[in-house]
Amino acid sequence: MELTTVKDALNIILNNSENFGIEEVDFINSVGRVLKENIVADRDFPPFNRVSMDGIAISSEAFNKGQRAFKIEGIQAAGSPQLTLKNPANCIEAMTGAVLPNNTDVVIQYELLEIKNGIATVHLDAVKSFQNVHLKGLDRKEKDVLIVKNTLISAAEIGVFATVGKSTIKVAKQPKVMIVSTGNELVEVAKIPAEHQIRRSNVFTLVSLLEKLHIKADTAHILDDKKTLETKIASFLNNYDVLLFSGAVSKGKFDFIPEVLANLGVEKLFHKVKQRPGKPFWFGKKAITKQDKNNKIVFAFPGNPVSTFVSCLKYFYPWYYKSVGLSFENNKQGILSEDFYFKPNLTYFLQVKLAQNEGKLYATPIAGKGSGDLANLVDSDAFLELPDNRSNFIKGEVFPLINYR
Amino acid sequence: MELTTVKDALNIILNNSENFGIEEVDFINSVGRVLKENIVADRDFPPFNRVSMDGIAISSEAFNKGQRAFKIEGIQAAGSPQLTLKNPANCIEAMTGAVLPNNTDVVIQYELLEIKNGIATVHLDAVKSFQNVHLKGLDRKEKDVLIVKNTLISAAEIGVFATVGKSTIKVAKQPKVMIVSTGNELVEVAKIPAEHQIRRSNVFTLVSLLEKLHIKADTAHILDDKKTLETKIASFLNNYDVLLFSGAVSKGKFDFIPEVLANLGVEKLFHKVKQRPGKPFWFGKKAITKQDKNNKIVFAFPGNPVSTFVSCLKYFYPWYYKSVGLSFENNKQGILSEDFYFKPNLTYFLQVKLAQNEGKLYATPIAGKGSGDLANLVDSDAFLELPDNRSNFIKGEVFPLINYR
């Protein structure tokens, strides 16, 4: 069977992204989600001529006439309505964050003053109009777009939401994801496996990888029995947007997943990719006819831990980003720090440890024992994607990087 | 007053890290936490000679005697106890993940076989002993340390916890943090501010920044009244490990925080740092005499949004990392992509937009309108830390980087 190239596989997957719509969430819970509205300034920023140093507010006219001693008329505190300087020869003490008092246009900080008996004496030769004043509308004007739609929300955006009074925010709805492990050899984490068994681990790795995208996935385990698989997967296809499988997609006698999915009307879009690890990767969709529903998407990853791990990062992540409208391109690259040789005519996802130096990102191969060597993921930080048309990769060359830390 | 240098400020803060102890959590909830035990292999990995391709298991001895057709004796499925090949001239079909059957030492994949009437015929000139077998203990040996104490837990570690049966995990306990805003000018997010008011935003930014560290902080707002401040802060000092303030630490008439903290027995360790933004930053601790308790740590950040933001990243983050035992050093650096000029004799945290190219990280200045310009944080990704002893920073130079996306 012809293998699908990594590039084609990714393109097919991206062409099958799905729009899951929009929901409204509390702004404080929106970190990591994708913004689905433009955020607009509800007023000028700053909303008033804002004092930016603690000191006195005066009229520059008085100062320029030679006056250096100013009687204190009052205090303009932050959070108090604007005061008015009654006598232009006087001053008002003004605090950082306060409105600049009416009839004043200069703030002189306490460091340059002496205050005695209610008189502030200034030690300065010249002042500039509006010094130590953050002018109304200087940062942003009312109705300016502060954050554009489709931004990935971080702490910086949270502050802006609060400032403009957006207590709820429109974000992309997350897909409902079910992660399914199969295989009679798997036992629960808390159990002691028999000699020929191992514990379930891939589903938990996938749960964690999806949590990074702020997707809370459900999990299930199904034994290698065709009837059970059909019944359960049929129900998952009804109740979820996306199914992720780990295992049972290769040539084994009990690798029922492709057959069962076909029986359930899931169209195979490709099976087997020209890559290591993860060659038996299967991808498909079940088209839904009703207009208000989404296609059901199925990622069936190979069961080896490293295969599942890298395939989720390389394929599911970009599919998700495109689905939620995030204009994200993985343009990360790493500099290979030593020569590396890989013969098979496959794209190789090389496990690497990263190190930064002088603004450059170096990737050092961490030789694992193959796709079953889960522990090796702990010792590395990323995968370097080595192309399928060469065998010798030279120190100093730059390759695409998939970082997972 | 002498300003503390950025370097000295950070050193003082790191010298006041605190150990908050250890707690046990479900392994699936441990992502982002810091591991406080070594994770050890409970058995060899793989735990048995594991079949790594679907096909037939044979004895190489038979093959080397010239035999190419093997009668199928049975099927060795993954998850089934080990079978034994009874007749060395026969074979057993063996599935990926299964135990290699007794009396066999080679697996030949289906792709290289023809099966007809219960006989598998092999098209191969030679086989290697244990080909397509992942040998017991090849990846890791029983009792090997798979993950060392003080590792920051990611999806890769979750898979290993599951594999070795660690359903609960010892992690560093998080500090209890209270984030306090002060200032009469602040109103709630959902309210319409009067002309001279603005909405609270810094506390929410801080909540989000701490959420990134998996710390769930509480928040409070206190008006600029000395008595109220004293009562409330006294209670917070009793009930929390760390207090973060935003505002009221400069020279204003209502900047009561340093005075109130002093009255409550919080020792000032420094006040005012040679930096922009964030110069009025105050840091202190309240020593606790009882041996079983921690010192209380107080970070009082200036109230301007950008000051609070960068100070949290530059000072609170490393304090936290050191406190939980994470051997983390921020050695990230960015390459300045254009000339930049900054005159004052202060460390300048320059807002920059990042771009990666060929494994190099370029930082382009995004000129904001000063420390009050919250919206500018949205347009940038990081701060470049420009040293205080120069004014001209040249395109191509490399500086420390604090990334917040």
Side-chain angles (χ1 to χ4, degrees):
Chain A
M1 185 196 290
E2 192 70 22
L3 300 182
T4 304
T5 66
V6 167
K7 194 181 161 195
D8 289 347
L10 186 59
N11 278 337
I12 292 168
I13 286 170
L14 291 178
N15 287 336
N16 284 281
S17 65
E18 291 284 326
N19 183 344
F20 298 103
I22 290 172
E23 65 179 342
E24 202 138 344
V25 297
D26 280 351
F27 82 103
I28 195 68
N29 297 326
S30 67
V31 169
R33 305 292 294 273
V34 176
L35 182 65
K36 283 294 168 187
E37 57 181 321
N38 285 333
I39 300 297
V40 171
D42 63 325
R43 57 207 293 224
D44 285 350
F45 288 96
F48 44 80
N49 287 336
R50 184 169 63 196
V51 175
S52 63
M53 292 289 259
D54 304 308
I56 59 167
I58 60 165
S59 148
S60 62
E61 219 178 295
F63 184 97
N64 290 335
K65 281 179 186 157
Q67 198 184 322
R68 293 294 181 271
F70 300 84
K71 191 180 159 205
I72 297 170
E73 256 187 25
I75 298 179
Q76 176 76 61
S80 294
Q82 187 184 36
L83 299 178
T84 295
L85 185 68
K86 280 163 201 151
N87 181 343
N90 289 349
C91 71
I92 289 177
E93 285 187 83
M95 303 304 136
T96 302
V99 185
L100 182 71
N102 226 335
N103 297 338
T104 72
D105 66 337
V106 159
V107 172
I108 300 169
Q109 59 263 52
Y110 282 128
E111 289 87 340
L112 305 174
L113 300 176
E114 225 171 302
I115 296 184
K116 220 174 173 177
N117 302 325
I119 308 287
T121 307
V122 179
H123 307 293
L124 267 181
D125 296 331
V127 295
K128 267 200 312 202
S129 204
F130 295 107
Q131 76 180 39
N132 297 322
V133 176
H134 201 136
L135 286 173
K136 178 174 194 285
L138 179 72
D139 300 347
R140 299 294 186 279
K141 297 283 183 206
E142 188 180 336
K143 293 189 180 153
D144 274 1
V145 173
L146 302 182
I147 314 177
V148 293
K149 194 177 152 173
N150 290 332
T151 296
L152 182 64
I153 297 167
S154 75
E157 285 73 29
I158 296 293
V160 174
F161 296 156
T163 298
V164 302
K166 289 286 297 179
S167 52
T168 63
I169 296 292
K170 287 195 178 70
V171 296
K173 226 171 170 170
Q174 301 289 56
K176 273 189 77 183
V177 181
M178 168 55 87
I179 300 172
V180 184
S181 57
T182 59
N184 292 351
E185 73 275 28
L186 300 179
V187 302
E188 291 305 317
V189 173
K191 292 225 170 108
I192 305 286
E195 180 76 33
H196 54 278
Q197 297 175 319
I198 57 172
R199 295 189 184 89
R200 278 175 91 199
S201 66
N202 284 349
V203 284
F204 305 113
T205 310
L206 288 173
V207 164
S208 301
L209 287 175
L210 267 61
E211 237 175 48
K212 251 186 138 167
L213 306 174
H214 297 256
I215 298 172
K216 286 198 191 313
D218 289 330
T219 65
H221 183 68
I222 317 180
L223 292 178
D224 294 326
D225 173 75
K226 220 185 284 183
K227 265 272 136 300
T228 317
L229 282 164
E230 263 188 32
T231 316
K232 293 217 171 167
I233 296 174
S235 137
F236 295 154
L237 282 168
N238 282 332
N239 295 306
Y240 292 88
D241 300 311
V242 183
L243 309 189
L244 302 188
F245 290 91
S246 175
V249 289
S250 196
K251 288 189 172 298
K253 286 270 180 228
F254 310 102
D255 289 352
F256 298 131
I257 295 289
E259 183 189 341
V260 166
L261 289 170
N263 293 347
L264 293 170
V266 182
E267 179 195 357
K268 178 184 84 179
L269 295 174
F270 62 75
H271 188 191
K272 298 193 198 297
V273 178
K274 206 174 163 190
Q275 66 181 10
R276 179 174 299 169
K279 194 166 91 172
F281 176 28
W282 189 105
F283 177 76
K285 79 162 168 210
K286 182 171 183 174
I288 300 287
T289 45
K290 289 183 213 152
Q291 273 193 327
D292 58 337
K293 291 247 190 159
N294 286 99
N295 298 314
K296 307 295 185 162
I297 304 297
V298 178
F299 292 80
F301 301 129
N304 265 319
V306 185
S307 307
T308 290
F309 196 89
V310 72
S311 298
C312 179
L313 294 169
K314 172 70 188 175
Y315 300 105
F316 180 81
Y317 270 43
W319 174 87
Y320 166 77
Y321 293 140
K322 181 141 188 245
S323 293
V324 291
L326 197 59
S327 48
F328 172 89
E329 237 186 299
N330 181 19
N331 55 4
K332 269 195 192 151
Q333 294 184 307
I335 305 166
L336 191 61
S337 75
E338 51 189 63
D339 292 353
F340 189 79
Y341 177 78
F342 179 75
K343 182 146 180 269
N345 195 20
L346 303 166
T347 296
Y348 186 55
F349 293 101
L350 171 66
Q351 293 181 57
V352 293
K353 186 98 195 149
L354 299 178
Q356 309 222 17
N357 190 20
E358 297 274 314
K360 292 177 201 153
L361 190 57
Y362 293 96
T364 302
I366 301 290
K369 302 301 193 315
S371 61
D373 187 1
L374 176 60
N376 201 53
L377 290 172
V378 165
D379 298 327
S380 26
D381 304 315
F383 295 90
L384 211 57
E385 186 178 333
L386 304 180
D388 58 12
N389 55 358
R390 311 165 38 184
S391 302
N392 283 297
F393 304 93
I394 314 298
K395 174 179 170 172
E397 281 193 279
V398 174
F399 297 102
L401 187 81
I402 303 172
N403 197 345
Y404 58 86
R405 288 195 196 271
Chain B
M1 186 196 290
E2 193 70 22
L3 300 182
T4 305
T5 66
V6 166
K7 193 180 159 193
D8 287 349
L10 185 59
N11 278 337
I12 292 169
I13 287 170
L14 291 178
N15 287 335
N16 284 282
S17 66
E18 290 285 326
N19 183 346
F20 297 103
I22 290 172
E23 65 179 342
E24 201 138 346
V25 298
D26 280 352
F27 82 103
I28 195 68
N29 297 325
S30 67
V31 170
R33 305 291 295 273
V34 177
L35 182 65
K36 282 294 169 187
E37 56 181 323
N38 285 334
I39 300 297
V40 171
D42 63 325
R43 55 208 291 226
D44 285 350
F45 288 96
F48 44 79
N49 287 336
R50 184 169 63 195
V51 176
S52 63
M53 293 290 257
D54 304 308
I56 59 167
I58 61 166
S59 148
S60 62
E61 218 177 297
F63 184 97
N64 289 336
K65 281 179 185 157
Q67 198 184 322
R68 292 297 181 269
F70 300 84
K71 191 180 160 205
I72 297 171
E73 256 186 28
I75 298 180
Q76 177 74 63
S80 295
Q82 188 184 35
L83 299 178
T84 294
L85 184 68
K86 280 161 201 152
N87 182 341
N90 290 350
C91 72
I92 289 176
E93 284 188 83
M95 304 303 136
T96 303
V99 185
L100 182 71
N102 226 335
N103 296 339
T104 72
D105 66 336
V106 159
V107 172
I108 300 170
Q109 58 263 53
Y110 283 129
E111 289 87 339
L112 305 174
L113 298 178
E114 225 171 302
I115 297 185
K116 220 173 173 178
N117 302 323
I119 307 287
T121 307
V122 179
H123 306 295
L124 267 181
D125 295 331
V127 295
K128 267 200 312 202
S129 205
F130 295 107
Q131 76 180 38
N132 297 322
V133 176
H134 202 137
L135 285 174
K136 177 174 194 283
L138 179 72
D139 300 348
R140 299 293 189 277
K141 297 283 184 208
E142 188 181 334
K143 293 190 181 154
D144 274 1
V145 173
L146 302 182
I147 315 177
V148 293
K149 193 176 153 175
N150 290 331
T151 296
L152 182 63
I153 297 167
S154 76
E157 285 73 27
I158 295 293
V160 174
F161 297 157
T163 298
V164 302
K166 289 288 296 181
S167 52
T168 63
I169 297 290
K170 287 196 176 71
V171 296
K173 226 171 170 169
Q174 301 289 57
K176 273 189 77 183
V177 180
M178 169 55 88
I179 300 171
V180 185
S181 56
T182 59
N184 292 352
E185 72 276 29
L186 300 180
V187 302
E188 289 306 317
V189 173
K191 293 225 169 108
I192 306 286
E195 180 74 35
H196 54 277
Q197 298 176 319
I198 58 172
R199 294 189 184 88
R200 278 174 92 198
S201 67
N202 284 350
V203 283
F204 305 113
T205 309
L206 287 173
V207 165
S208 300
L209 287 175
L210 266 60
E211 237 174 47
K212 250 185 138 167
L213 305 175
H214 297 256
I215 299 171
K216 286 197 192 314
D218 289 330
T219 65
H221 183 68
I222 317 179
L223 293 178
D224 294 326
D225 172 77
K226 219 184 285 184
K227 265 272 137 300
T228 317
L229 282 164
E230 262 188 31
T231 315
K232 293 217 173 169
I233 295 174
S235 139
F236 295 154
L237 283 168
N238 282 333
N239 294 307
Y240 291 88
D241 300 311
V242 183
L243 310 188
L244 303 188
F245 290 90
S246 173
V249 289
S250 194
K251 287 190 172 299
K253 286 268 180 229
F254 310 101
D255 289 352
F256 298 132
I257 294 288
E259 182 189 342
V260 166
L261 288 170
N263 292 348
L264 292 171
V266 182
E267 179 195 357
K268 178 182 84 179
L269 296 174
F270 62 76
H271 188 192
K272 297 191 198 298
V273 178
K274 207 174 164 191
Q275 66 181 12
R276 179 175 297 171
K279 195 167 90 172
F281 175 27
W282 188 105
F283 177 76
K285 79 160 169 212
K286 181 169 184 176
I288 300 287
T289 43
K290 290 183 211 151
Q291 273 194 326
D292 58 337
K293 291 246 192 161
N294 286 99
N295 298 314
K296 307 293 184 164
I297 304 296
V298 179
F299 293 80
F301 300 130
N304 266 319
V306 185
S307 307
T308 290
F309 197 89
V310 72
S311 297
C312 180
L313 295 169
K314 172 70 188 175
Y315 300 106
F316 179 81
Y317 270 42
W319 174 87
Y320 167 77
Y321 292 140
K322 181 143 188 242
S323 292
V324 291
L326 198 58
S327 47
F328 173 90
E329 236 185 300
N330 181 20
N331 56 4
K332 269 195 192 152
Q333 294 185 308
I335 304 165
L336 190 61
S337 74
E338 52 189 64
D339 292 353
F340 188 80
Y341 178 78
F342 178 76
K343 183 147 181 267
N345 195 18
L346 302 166
T347 296
Y348 186 55
F349 293 102
L350 171 67
Q351 292 181 57
V352 293
K353 185 98 193 148
L354 299 179
Q356 309 223 15
N357 190 20
E358 297 274 313
K360 293 177 199 154
L361 191 57
Y362 293 96
T364 303
I366 301 291
K369 303 300 195 313
S371 61
D373 187 1
L374 176 59
N376 201 53
L377 290 172
V378 165
D379 299 327
S380 25
D381 303 315
F383 295 89
L384 211 56
E385 185 177 334
L386 304 181
D388 59 12
N389 55 357
R390 314 166 34 184
S391 302
N392 284 297
F393 304 94
I394 313 298
K395 174 180 170 173
E397 281 193 280
V398 173
F399 298 102
L401 187 80
I402 303 172
N403 195 344
Y404 58 86
R405 287 196 195 269

